[in-house]
Amino acid sequence: MDKCCVCMVCSSDVEENLLDALLLHFGEAVFTSQPAFSHGLASAELDPREQVLGRRRAVLVQILLAPAAADALVQRLHEEFAGTGIRYWMLPVVREGALA
């Protein structure tokens, strides 16, 4: 596997700090961010309006990294963003490129 995609879902309160950390430590990597909704959260984690809707507003951040760098990112998340509720997962990238 040449690269993997680390997907992170965070609250908008954490978004700027997360993007700053990615730019600072992984600035050469391609990454994206976009508004999203989180589903499947425990009711206790949601405010009353979110409980009715069954979702919470969130930000999805995806970054392409070599596996070792992805592991370093996850370690950094555990160190710098403990308690922020960021959820993450990694996916293998089958192919990537740019159209010139």
Side-chain angles (χ1 to χ4, degrees), residues 10-54:
C10 68
S11 69
S12 57
D13 297 343
V14 177
E15 176 185 12
E16 287 304 319
N17 289 335
L18 177 58
L19 296 178
D20 287 347
L22 292 175
L23 285 168
L24 181 63
H25 300 290
F26 303 94
E28 73 288 346
V30 174
F31 69 92
T32 62
S33 64
Q34 62 191 42
F37 289 100
S38 292
H39 302 272
L41 300 169
S43 293
E45 296 180 48
L46 303 173
D47 68 30
R49 182 173 185 271
E50 292 170 337
Q51 288 178 12
V52 170
L53 295 172

